[in-house]
Amino acid sequence: MHDITTLAGRPPSASHLTLSQIMDQHHTNLMGTVHGGRILNLIDSVAGVVAARHSDGPAVTAAIDETAFLRAVRVGDVVHVDARITWAGRSSMEVAVKVTADRWDRAVPPIDVATAHLVMVAVDDEGQPRPVPPLLPGTDGDRRRYREAQIRREHRLALRRALLDDVEEG
């Protein structure tokens, strides 16, 4: 078991990952575009790897929020899922994911297709939360993303408290 006082901090670049995959007809919905669930699966998978790399072990998805589908993905698009840790607490981490796509057969600039923020929790062999290394934002962009992640965390916690209070009253 990790002792939180001995965990060395890490920069976001230490666990950053981009996965690329060509979308084919097996990924489509009834509209003929790539199913949003397939994009969510890629987002969750890549975020899980990034969180596991940062925390040196398994991490599970606690929340997916701030997900926005910006454009449809088509068969033949190469989807690029880029993920990085933006915030780390005691046992949880926020992972920001940006999804872009370009054509498999043309040299065209990628377009933004989706964004998401996930809360991942590092777990031990019994599935219990375990400590994670602190995040060491090293660039101006890292520090900006860290501040924004703290704001999202405060909003998530406030929403959770409000919903729990409403359940207790009602």
Side-chain angles (χ1 to χ4, degrees), residues 81-96:
V81 183
D82 185 81
R84 69 182 66 238
I85 299 284
T86 54
W87 179 88
R90 203 172 43 248
S91 61
S92 63
M93 301 155 277
E94 184 190 82
V95 180

Side-chain angles (χ1 to χ4, degrees), residues 120-164:
M120 310 297 289
V121 176
V123 294
D124 62 20
D125 292 339
E126 285 78 43
Q128 297 302 307
R130 62 179 174 79
V132 301
L135 187 67
L136 303 175
T139 68
D140 288 343
D142 290 344
R143 286 184 284 278
R144 176 185 50 78
R145 285 185 285 273
Y146 187 88
R147 286 189 306 272
E148 291 169 354
Q150 286 179 302
I151 293 167
R152 282 187 295 275
R153 181 175 186 273
E154 290 168 11
H155 284 266
R156 278 190 295 269
L157 293 174
L159 177 60
R160 182 178 181 182
R161 282 190 300 272
L163 292 173
L164 289 173

Side-chain angles (χ1 to χ4, degrees), residues 11-118:
S13 60
S15 57
H16 175 247
L17 176 67
T18 301
L19 172 79
S20 298
Q21 184 175 359
I22 299 171
M23 296 291 106
D24 64 29
Q25 47 280 52
H26 295 97
H27 301 121
T28 60
N29 58 28
L30 295 174
M31 301 292 295
T33 57
V34 173
H35 198 286
R38 177 64 186 141
I39 301 300
L40 282 171
N41 178 265
L42 290 170
I43 288 169
D44 191 35
S45 295
V46 175
V49 172
V50 168
R53 286 181 173 183
H54 181 79
S55 67
D56 284 330
V60 296
T61 307
I64 300 177
D65 62 18
E66 310 248 347
T67 303
F69 292 99
L70 308 170
R71 291 186 180 82
V73 176
R74 302 169 298 160
V75 169
D77 282 350
V78 180
V79 170
H80 311 278
V81 183
D82 185 81
R84 69 182 66 238
I85 299 284
T86 54
W87 179 88
R90 203 172 43 248
S91 61
S92 63
M93 301 155 277
E94 184 190 82
V95 180
V97 181
K98 180 179 179 181
V99 182
T100 60
D102 52 32
R103 295 301 294 166
W104 71 275
D105 59 348
R106 290 185 215 116
V108 295
I111 59 169
D112 294 342
V113 296
T115 61
H117 293 94
L118 295 85

